[in-house]
Amino acid sequence: MSSPIFADPILDGAADPTVINRRGTEEWWMFYTVRRAAHVGPGVEWVHGSPIGVAVSSDGGASWDYRGTVVGLDDPADPGLNTHWAPEVIWALGEYHMYLSYITGTPDRWPGFPRRIVHFTSPDLVAWTRRSVLPLASEFVIDAAVARSPDGLYRLWYKDEGNGSCTQAATSPDLYSWTHQGIAIPGSRQGGRGHEGPNVFELGGHHWMIVDEWRGQAVFRSDDTRAWERQGLILDLPGDAPEDRQVARHADVVVQDCWAALVYFTHPNTGTDHTHEMDTPSARRSTIHWARLTVEDGILHCDRNVGTLQLQVLQD
C-alpha cells in the first residue's frame, strides 16, 4: 500500500511536491507548497500566504526530515505575507534553478489577482537568488515544468489561467531568456479540458507529460516534446491505503533506470478541492504519496499500491 511518505508537521498542508538529488550526496530534497490547513479566514485565503517547505531524505525517500521553509523568495517590493506555489527545481548548466509561482499578498478569492512565474538560482539548494519574472502568455500563469528537449532547447510548460487553464510552452537556450511557443495541451477555451500542474519526463524511449485534471492525472506521449498525443488517465482510482483513497493531485516524477517514481499529493479526507467541502482543517489537510511508473509497449503504466520508496542516485 502507498501510505503517506510525508506530511507537513507545522501547517499540515503539503502539496505540489518536487524532488531532486543534492549533487555529490545521497540526499533527496523535496520542495513543496505549504498550505495553511487550519487557517481561519474568508474564502480561499487558506491556500494563499503559503511558504515553500523543505524536507530531506538520506535513505532514498523512505523517510523525510522536515527542514523548515525557503527564505528570500519574496519580491522586495511586496511587504507582508505573500503566496508561493508549486516550485519546479532542476539542476542544469552548473546550478540549481527554481521556477516558482508567485502571488502578491494572500487573496481570499481566485479571480483578479495576477500570478507570475519567477526564476531563482542556487549553488546548494539553500541560498536562492532572484533572477527575473518570466515574460509569458498572460499575467495569470502558474505551475512551471522545465525539461531539455531533443532539439537541444529547454522547454517550459505552465498553466495559463488566462486562457482556459491550458498548458502553454516556451523555449530557452540558457534557462534565462524565454521565447513563447504557444499552446501545448488545450484547455477549456480550445475544446479541451481545463487542467494544471504539468510535468514532463523521459521514460521507456518516449517523452511523457502528465497534467492534473482534478479527477486523476492525464497522460500524454511525445517523440519530440512539441506534439503530444493523449493516452488516458492514471491515479484516478482509489489506492488501498486509508489515506490514499482520493484522486492524485499535482505531481513530480523522478526517473530511475527502467522505472520512475511519481510523487503526488492528495486530500485524504475529502473527494474534492477548493469547494464548500474544504471548510475544515481535516478536509483541507494534504499528504504526499508516491506511485511507480513503468512503460510497456509504448504505454505508461502506474502502480499506486507500492511499498517503501527507494530512489537511487544515477550517474550523469
Side-chain angles (χ1 to χ4, degrees), residues 45-221:
E45 196 174 74
W46 67 277
V47 299
H48 297 93
S50 46
I52 298 302
V54 183
V56 176
S57 175
S58 299
D59 56 10
S63 61
W64 295 87
D65 296 323
Y66 176 69
R67 296 288 181 87
T69 58
V70 182
V71 298
L73 299 180
D74 283 324
D75 187 330
D78 295 336
L81 185 63
N82 297 297
T83 299
H84 310 90
W85 283 349
E88 166 77 323
V89 180
I90 66 169
W91 168 268
L93 302 178
E95 58 188 347
Y96 296 101
H97 299 259
M98 178 190 292
Y99 297 90
L100 176 71
S101 306
Y102 181 84
I103 302 171
T104 300
T106 57
D108 61 3
R109 68 207 73 180
W110 299 121
F113 295 89
R115 50 210 70 185
R116 300 178 175 91
I117 293 174
V118 184
H119 180 206
F120 298 82
T121 60
S122 172
D124 56 8
L125 294 177
V126 177
W128 293 93
T129 299
R130 187 184 181 99
R131 297 301 185 183
S132 69
V133 177
L134 273 56
L136 300 174
S138 79
E139 291 191 342
F140 300 92
V141 295
I142 62 172
D143 297 353
V146 178
R148 195 171 187 186
S149 293
D151 60 9
L153 294 172
Y154 291 93
R155 274 183 169 75
L156 165 76
W157 295 269
Y158 59 94
K159 178 188 181 183
D160 185 357
E161 294 187 335
N163 196 5
S165 294
C166 64
T167 292
Q168 299 264 19
T171 59
S172 174
D174 59 7
L175 293 168
Y176 281 81
S177 59
W178 293 92
T179 301
H180 176 63
Q181 293 290 298
I183 295 173
I185 306 294
S188 59
R189 290 186 184 175
Q190 299 83 36
R193 186 182 183 97
H195 56 272
E196 64 187 11
N199 190 271
V200 174
F201 58 98
E202 187 175 3
L203 184 67
H206 300 280
H207 298 275
W208 304 92
M209 183 190 295
I210 56 170
V211 301
D212 182 359
E213 290 189 344
W214 312 295
R215 56 174 186 163
Q217 302 287 310
V219 177
F220 298 84
R221 192 181 74 180

